[in-house]
Amino acid sequence: MTVLFILLASAPRLASGAEPAEPAIAAVLSSEAGPYREALAGLQEELGFSVPVFSLSRGEPKIPDSARIVVAFGSKAALLRRQDRLTLVYAMSPGVVIKDKNTFEVHMEPEASVLLSSLKKIQPGLKKLGILWQSPKFEAYLLQLRSAAAELDMSIEDSRLEKTAEVPGRLRILYGKIDAIWLPPDPLLLNADNLTIFTEFSRSNNIPFFVPSGGLLEQGLASVTPTFREIGRLAAIAARSALTGQNQKKIIYPTRVELGINKAAAAKIGLKISEETLRQADKIIP
Amino acid sequence: MKLQTKVLLLLFPLAITAGALILILSKGAINDVLLRETAERGFLALTEISPKVDAGMRTGEEKTLLPLLNSAHVQLRALYVAALAPDGTVLAHTNVVEKGRIYTDPDTRQILTYEKPGYKVIDSKGRKVLDIAAPVWAKDEDFLLSHEKGGKTFLGVLRIGLSLENVLATRAMILRRIALILIATGGAILLVILLFLHKILFPIRLLSDSTRKIGEGRYDVSVPVTTSDEIGELAGAFNKMADTLEKTTVSRNKLSEEVVERKKAEENLLQLLSLHHATLESTADGILVIDTGGKIVTKNRKFLQMWRIPDDMAASEDDGKLLAYVLEQLTNPGDFTAKVTWLYTHPEEESFDAFTFKDGRIFERFSLPQRIGTRIVGRVWNFRDVTERRKLEGMLLQSEKLSAIGQLAAGVAHEINNPLGIILGFAQSTVKHLKPGDEALALPLKTIEREAVRCKNLVQNLLVFSRISKNERFQEINLNDAMESALSLISAQAKTRNVELVKELGAGSSHIHADKTQVQQILINLANNAIDAMPKGGTLLFKTSLSAKRPGYVEILVRDTGDGIPKAMQKKVFEPFFTTKEVGQGTGLGLSLVYEIVEKHGGSIELESEEGKGTEFSVHLPIHPAAPPAKC
C-alpha cells in the first residue's frame, strides 16, 4: 500500500520528464519485507522518480543495461554478484563488509555524536555506556563513539565477544561498572536469547537498556535509530552523488534519528525521563 | 417507627453481614484457586524443561541451562527463572548477574528440601511473588514422582518466580463482581421484601387511616375486604365496628357543641360563684348560711371577725362548739336561742332583732329563708355591729336635748335676769344704807343680796350656756399655753384642797384651731369637778398629746384619784342640771357646758370611771378646723 502510494505520488514527476528515459539507478530488495519497502519509498522520494525495483524473493534481478547505480537494501541484495560497471550503494546490511572502490554503505547506526547526545537526553546522568559487540565491522564505529563520548564527558565501556555464548559472562563483568548498556545493530549478537538476557539484565538490575531498533522498544528502555525511510533517503543521496561523480564518504551514518521511549520500562527501573524529552520522542510506549 | 422501616433496619445489617462473610470466604477460595492455577502453569513449564536440564544441571553449564530458562521465562512472563545446585549455588539465572551466587535464605533452603514440586508466596522487592520450585533428579529417574532422596541423584532445583500482580488484580476483579452481584441480589431481595410488605401492609394502612378518621369523629368509613385471610377478617370486623359506632355514637360536632355549652355553663357558674364569694366577703356584715338541718353551709370572714371566732375553731367545723362559743359572749343567750328555735318551726318567716354582748357591743340580726325555686333549703343570717351607731344615736339625742334645754334656759334666764337685777340692786343699795343699829335688817338684807348674787351667777351661766354658738372665736391657739393659763386659775384652789396638779404637756400637741376661752372653760370645769371629787386631796393629772386613737386630733386627758362615778350615773353626767353635789354647791351645768363646747369644736369627750379609784375624762379636739357638717 505504501509502495503504491509512493509510486502514485511520483507519477507527476514521471510525466514532467524528470525521470531519465533510460533508468540509471536500480533498486534491489532482499525481500518484500516492510522495512525494505519503506527504505525503497525513501529512496524514490528523495530521487524524485521511480527506479526499477527488483526483489530477490521473486527471482534473479535483471538489472537494465542503462543502469549505472544499484541500490541494495538488505544483506542478500548487497552480496548479490553484479557487473563491475555498476556502482553499489548498499544499506540495511549490518554484517556485510564489501571492500570495493565502487561501493558506498549507509549504516544503521546513527552518527556517534547524535547517538550519544540523544542517550544523554534520555538519561542525563549517563557517564559510562556499556557496549557488547562482535562484528568486526563495528570497530570503526566504536572509534567514533569513543571520540564523541569524550566530547560529551562520557566513556564507553565496551567488550568484544568471540562467541555469542559469552554474553552472560561479559554482562557480569560490566555489572557495576556501567550506567547503561547499548546494544548495537550487530547481526551476530542480535538474537532472541541475547535480547532476553539483555532485557532481564536491565530489568533485574535497574540498568537502562538502549535497543538498536524501534521495533525492539518493548524489550528496552529507549531506541535511537534512523527510520528505514531515512536510510532510503540517504541511499538516494549517495546514489545521486555517485551518478554525478561527486566525492563522498564511503560510509554514511544517519544524522536524523527517531527517538523511542518505553515509559513502563523506565518506571520499572526507576528512571525519570524529563517532560521535554518525552515531547521530543517520536514513539512512546506508555 | 413504621413496620416497613423496622424490617429494613433488621434486614439491612443482616444483608451487609452476610455479604461481608461471603466476600471474605470468597476471597480465600479465589486466592487458593488462582494460586493453584498459577502454580500449575509453573509446574507445567518446569515439567517441560526439566528433562532437558539434566546435562546442564550435572555440569553446571550456564550456556546449556540459560536458553531453557529463558524459554520458560518468556513463556510464563516470569520474573525470574533459575537453576540451583543442591547446595543453593545458582547454576543459571535469567538475571545473569546472579550466576555463581549461593542462596542461603530460608525460602531457598526450604525448596531445596522439596521432594516434589511446590510453591510459596513470598515478598520480593516489595511485590508478592509466587515462588515455584521443582526438584531435578537424575534423568533415569522419574520426575515429579515422590521418592526418597536416598537412592536417587538430586541434581538441584528449578525455580520460577511469577508475579502475583495479575493474580491479585484478577482476584480483586472477581471480588468486585461478586460484590456487585451480592449488592444487586441483596437489593433485589430487599425490593421484593418491601413490595411484599407493601402488599401486606396496604390493607393495614387502610385500617389505620380509617381508625384515625373514626378517632376524628367520622364514622362513615369502611375499608375494602380484599383478602380472606386474617387481615381480611380484621377489615370485616372493623367495618362492622364502624357501622355500629355510626349508629350508636353521638356525632362529634354535636358532642363539641355540648362540650362548648357545658364549658360556657361552667364558666357562668364559676362567674356566679365568684360573684357570690366576692359579695359575701365584701359586705360589712357577717353572713352565716345554715341548711335546714341546722348545719353551717357557709360563712364569711366578717362573721368570724365579728364573733371573734378563733381560726382553729372555724376550721374544725364543729357547729356545736361554735354555737356554745357564740352564746357565751351574749348578755342574754336565752333570747338568742329562743329566736333561732322559733324560726326552725317557722321556716317561711323573716326575722329581725338585736342582742347585746357582755362587752357592750350590740349586733342587729336579720334572717330570711334560702330558697331554690319554692323549696326552702336553709336560712341566711345577717349580723351587723350597730354599737357605734347606737352610741352616735345616743349622742345625737343628748345633743338635741341639750339644745332644747339651752333654748329653754336662755329664755328663762333672760326673763329672770331683769327682775333679779332689780332685786339685787335694791338689796345692795339697802345694805349700803344700813346704819349701825340696823342689825335686825342687816342679816335678811345681806342674805337677800348673797342669794341674789348666787342667782345672778346661775343666770349668767345659763346665758353663757345658751350663747356659746354666738360668741365663738376660733383661731389657731397654743393648747399648752391655754392649759397653763387655766391651771394657774385653779392652782390656789387645788392647793387649798390638798390636790397635787400634775402636767404632762406634749410638744407636738401645742397648736390647734379652737376658741381659747372655751378651751380654758373646758379645763377649768373639768378641774373643778375633779377637785370636788377629791375632798381628802389627791392627784390631778393634765395631759396633752396627739391622739393615738384619732389621727388629726389632740387628746386632753384629765384624770383624778377621787371617789369615781357610779356606773349608773355615768350616762347622765353630761345632762344639764344633773349634779351629785349638795344643793347650792353646784348648778349641774358644768359638764353639759363642757360637752356643748367640745361638740361645737367637732371633737368628742369620753368618760371612764371606776368607783373608789377615780375618773378620767378624755377630750379629743381636731387640730385643723372641722369640715362644716353636711346639710341634709
Side-chain angles (χ1 to χ4, degrees):
Chain A
M1 188 63 133
T2 307
V3 174
L4 178 61
F5 171 76
I6 292 167
L7 289 174
L8 288 172
S10 60
R13 295 178 191 168
L14 296 171
S16 66
E19 181 185 2
E22 295 295 331
I25 300 173
V28 179
L29 310 182
S30 288
S31 71
E32 297 284 345
Y36 298 139
R37 284 289 178 190
E38 193 178 338
L40 175 64
L43 171 78
Q44 297 192 122
E45 194 176 63
E46 178 61 30
L47 288 174
F49 52 83
S50 295
V51 297
V53 178
F54 303 96
S55 170
L56 296 183
S57 61
R58 293 183 182 177
E60 190 73 17
K62 290 180 180 176
I63 306 300
D65 292 340
S66 60
R68 290 168 55 196
I69 308 289
V70 171
V71 178
F73 292 113
S75 298
K76 281 171 69 177
L79 293 172
L80 192 68
R81 285 187 62 185
R82 68 183 190 284
Q83 296 171 359
D84 292 341
R85 66 179 179 84
L86 295 173
T87 296
L88 177 65
V89 175
Y90 69 99
M92 303 171 73
S93 313
V96 176
V97 178
I98 301 171
K99 292 183 178 176
D100 189 324
K101 64 176 182 181
N102 290 331
T103 59
F104 300 91
E105 184 183 4
V106 178
H107 272 231
M108 286 297 292
E109 299 90 339
E111 199 273 324
S113 61
V114 171
L115 173 69
L116 294 180
S117 60
S118 298
L119 297 185
K120 267 277 200 183
K121 278 186 190 171
I122 297 165
Q123 187 184 358
L126 176 59
K127 294 286 186 186
K128 294 176 182 176
L129 179 65
I131 300 173
L132 296 186
W133 58 284
Q134 189 173 356
S135 175
K137 182 183 171 182
F138 186 72
E139 195 164 3
Y141 183 65
L142 195 61
L143 291 172
Q144 292 185 27
L145 279 176
R146 285 202 182 103
S147 172
E151 291 182 8
L152 291 170
D153 193 23
M154 290 174 60
S155 65
I156 304 297
E157 299 290 335
D158 71 292
S159 182
R160 182 177 182 181
L161 308 180
E162 295 297 327
K163 295 179 288 185
T164 307
E166 292 173 354
V167 169
R170 296 301 175 87
L171 284 175
R172 280 193 287 274
I173 291 170
L174 288 177
Y175 178 65
K177 299 175 183 173
I178 57 174
D179 300 321
I181 189 162
W182 178 64
L183 183 62
D186 186 338
L188 298 177
L189 203 57
L190 200 56
N191 59 48
D193 282 343
N194 283 344
L195 204 57
T196 303
I197 291 170
F198 276 102
T199 303
E200 273 308 294
F201 174 75
S202 165
R203 191 178 64 79
S204 299
N205 303 300
N206 295 338
I207 295 172
F209 172 39
F210 298 108
V211 292
S213 164
L216 302 174
L217 188 56
E218 285 189 4
Q219 273 74 43
L221 168 69
S223 63
V224 181
T225 58
T227 62
F228 296 118
R229 185 178 292 269
E230 174 66 8
I231 297 293
R233 190 183 72 82
L234 293 173
I237 292 169
R240 192 187 296 132
S241 298
L243 198 61
T244 59
Q246 290 178 358
N247 286 331
Q248 63 174 319
K249 290 179 181 176
K250 299 290 277 184
I251 299 173
I252 301 157
Y253 292 102
T255 55
R256 290 186 189 173
V257 291
E258 193 174 65
L259 187 62
I261 293 173
N262 186 341
K263 283 178 72 176
K268 275 185 180 175
I269 63 173
L271 178 67
K272 182 159 179 64
I273 300 171
S274 72
E275 288 297 320
E276 186 182 353
T277 305
L278 288 171
R279 279 197 297 274
Q280 290 172 1
D282 301 288
K283 182 181 181 185
I284 291 178
I285 293 178
Chain B
M1 190 184 290
K2 289 188 175 179
L3 185 59
Q4 215 161 344
T5 311
K6 287 180 182 175
V7 172
L8 269 180
L9 287 176
L10 177 67
L11 287 181
F12 196 70
L14 283 177
I16 294 287
T17 308
L21 279 174
I22 290 171
L23 281 177
I24 290 168
L25 294 174
S26 300
K27 183 181 177 183
I30 291 165
N31 214 37
D32 290 345
V33 169
L34 289 175
L35 287 180
R36 199 176 303 122
E37 191 271 340
T38 307
E40 287 296 333
R41 283 171 45 222
F43 292 151
L44 189 60
L46 290 177
T47 304
E48 285 180 5
I49 64 171
S50 62
K52 302 171 188 173
V53 300
D54 184 82
M57 294 290 280
R58 284 174 190 271
T59 61
E61 279 187 345
E62 183 185 29
K63 67 179 181 182
T64 308
L65 293 170
L66 195 53
L68 295 168
L69 300 185
N70 278 338
S71 69
H73 177 263
V74 172
Q75 180 190 343
L76 295 174
R77 293 178 176 270
L79 295 172
Y80 57 82
V81 184
L84 306 182
D87 63 350
T89 302
V90 179
L91 300 175
H93 197 290
T94 47
N95 179 12
V96 294
V97 173
E98 297 293 308
K99 179 176 170 18
R101 291 181 178 171
I102 300 172
Y103 293 162
T104 57
D105 59 279
D107 291 332
T108 304
R109 284 205 300 273
Q110 185 182 4
I111 65 174
L112 287 171
T113 64
Y114 281 180
E115 295 290 337
K116 55 182 181 180
Y119 64 87
K120 185 179 180 185
V121 177
I122 62 170
D123 284 317
S124 174
K125 296 178 183 176
R127 293 186 299 186
K128 291 286 182 190
V129 174
L130 188 64
D131 193 39
I132 305 165
V136 180
W137 308 100
K139 198 171 186 180
D140 53 340
E141 293 163 356
D142 197 2
F143 178 68
L144 291 181
L145 291 178
S146 179
H147 293 291
E148 294 295 326
K149 285 185 179 178
K152 293 191 294 184
T153 305
F154 179 58
L155 299 178
V157 167
L158 289 176
R159 190 178 193 181
I160 297 178
L162 297 178
S163 170
L164 286 178
E165 283 179 3
N166 288 337
V167 171
L168 295 175
T170 304
R171 186 184 71 183
M173 183 265 292
I174 293 172
L175 286 174
R176 277 198 299 273
R177 289 185 180 175
I178 290 173
L180 283 174
I181 290 168
L182 285 174
I183 290 169
T185 308
I189 290 171
L190 278 176
L191 189 63
V192 169
I193 290 171
L194 287 177
L195 288 173
F196 183 65
L197 277 174
H198 180 75
K199 188 174 173 56
I200 288 179
L201 292 176
F202 180 70
I204 294 176
R205 283 206 190 94
L206 287 179
L207 276 169
S208 173
D209 290 342
S210 300
T211 306
R212 194 183 67 250
K213 287 176 183 171
I214 286 179
E216 293 167 355
R218 294 160 56 189
Y219 303 108
D220 56 337
V221 294
S222 67
V223 292
V225 181
T226 54
T227 60
S228 58
D229 55 12
E230 288 84 348
I231 293 173
E233 290 174 7
L234 180 62
F238 176 85
N239 288 338
K240 192 176 283 182
M241 178 193 76
D243 188 47
T244 307
L245 280 172
E246 189 177 17
K247 289 174 182 170
T248 58
T249 309
V250 179
S251 76
R252 184 170 175 271
N253 290 338
K254 194 172 179 183
L255 199 61
S256 297
E257 287 172 8
E258 286 182 4
V259 168
V260 169
E261 284 179 8
R262 189 163 185 163
K263 280 186 178 175
K264 199 172 176 181
E266 283 177 1
E267 281 180 12
N268 288 337
L269 183 60
L270 284 174
Q271 175 71 19
L272 280 174
L273 285 173
S274 169
L275 183 64
H276 162 76
H277 181 74
T279 307
L280 198 65
E281 292 300 333
S282 61
T283 180
D285 297 340
I287 305 292
L288 177 71
V289 183
I290 306 287
D291 65 12
T292 50
K295 187 168 178 56
I296 295 173
V297 177
T298 186
K299 53 191 174 294
N300 64 359
R301 277 200 298 271
K302 189 67 180 177
F303 172 82
L304 298 174
Q305 290 167 4
M306 288 170 65
W307 287 92
R308 297 172 182 171
I309 296 170
D311 291 344
D312 54 343
M313 187 179 289
S316 71
E317 298 186 353
D318 185 344
D319 291 358
K321 195 173 177 182
L322 187 69
L323 180 63
Y325 183 80
V326 166
L327 294 177
E328 180 65 23
Q329 299 180 56
L330 302 177
T331 54
N332 194 351
D335 291 347
F336 186 91
T337 51
K339 188 77 173 181
V340 174
T341 306
W342 183 80
L343 285 170
Y344 274 123
T345 57
H346 300 81
E348 297 279 344
E349 296 295 330
E350 296 182 3
S351 73
F352 176 78
D353 61 350
F355 47 87
T356 309
F357 282 67
K358 289 177 180 174
D359 62 5
R361 287 183 295 152
I362 303 167
F363 281 11
E364 285 180 351
R365 178 171 62 172
F366 175 73
S367 82
L368 78 171
Q370 181 195 359
R371 288 186 172 87
I372 297 177
T374 56
R375 186 165 55 94
I376 293 174
V377 295
R379 177 168 289 275
V380 180
W381 295 90
N382 182 299
F383 299 94
R384 182 169 295 169
D385 186 346
V386 295
T387 310
E388 285 299 321
R389 197 188 79 197
R390 292 282 179 98
K391 199 171 178 181
L392 289 173
E393 285 172 356
M395 289 167 71
L396 181 62
L397 188 63
Q398 176 75 4
S399 179
E400 286 173 351
K401 191 189 283 181
L402 285 176
S403 178
I405 291 172
Q407 288 174 9
L408 178 63
V412 171
H414 183 71
E415 290 302 323
I416 292 175
N417 196 38
N418 289 333
L420 189 59
I422 294 168
I423 293 171
L424 182 60
F426 280 113
Q428 288 175 335
S429 178
T430 305
V431 169
K432 283 180 180 177
H433 290 91
L434 283 179
K435 296 175 179 173
D438 293 335
E439 280 80 6
L441 290 174
L443 180 63
L445 286 173
K446 286 185 180 179
T447 303
I448 290 169
E449 181 190 13
R450 189 183 68 236
E451 291 303 316
V453 169
R454 198 165 69 88
C455 286
K456 186 170 180 63
N457 288 337
L458 176 64
V459 168
Q460 285 300 316
N461 278 340
L462 282 172
L463 288 174
V464 170
F465 181 77
S466 64
R467 290 173 189 160
I468 284 172
S469 58
K470 295 173 185 171
N471 299 324
E472 288 167 350
R473 198 167 149 226
F474 283 85
Q475 59 185 347
E476 184 145 347
I477 64 164
N478 189 317
L479 177 62
N480 291 338
D481 289 348
M483 175 79 80
E484 292 283 6
S485 175
L487 292 184
S488 66
L489 295 177
I490 61 167
S491 59
Q493 185 185 353
K495 198 170 182 178
T496 306
R497 305 281 290 271
N498 201 25
V499 172
E500 182 189 5
L501 293 180
V502 178
K503 296 178 283 182
E504 291 182 14
L505 306 181
S509 56
S510 57
H511 291 87
I512 60 170
H513 190 79
D515 183 325
K516 188 176 180 179
T517 305
Q518 292 182 10
V519 169
Q520 286 176 333
Q521 197 165 0
I522 291 171
L523 294 169
I524 289 167
N525 283 354
L526 288 176
N528 284 330
N529 279 349
I531 291 169
D532 288 342
M534 293 184 287
K536 297 175 184 176
T539 302
L540 179 57
L541 170 68
F542 287 88
K543 181 179 178 182
T544 59
S545 63
L546 286 174
S547 174
K549 290 180 183 176
R550 301 180 69 179
Y553 284 73
V554 293
E555 183 179 22
I556 302 166
L557 201 68
V558 181
R559 184 193 299 152
D560 64 54
T561 55
D563 297 332
I565 304 170
K567 205 167 184 77
M569 293 183 185
Q570 287 178 11
K571 291 180 181 177
K572 298 178 181 176
V573 293
F574 295 111
E575 291 181 7
F577 308 112
F578 176 80
T579 181
T580 57
K581 295 175 184 174
E582 293 176 6
V583 176
Q585 295 295 313
T587 60
L589 289 173
L591 284 180
S592 59
L593 188 63
V594 168
Y595 186 92
E596 181 69 14
I597 292 169
V598 170
E599 279 283 294
K600 293 290 181 185
H601 277 76
S604 64
I605 182 168
E606 291 174 0
L607 162 66
E608 278 189 23
S609 181
E610 193 173 348
E611 285 185 87
K613 287 191 176 179
T615 302
E616 179 183 284
F617 286 91
S618 173
V619 178
H620 284 85
L621 295 176
I623 295 171
H624 301 293
K631 293 179 180 176
C632 297

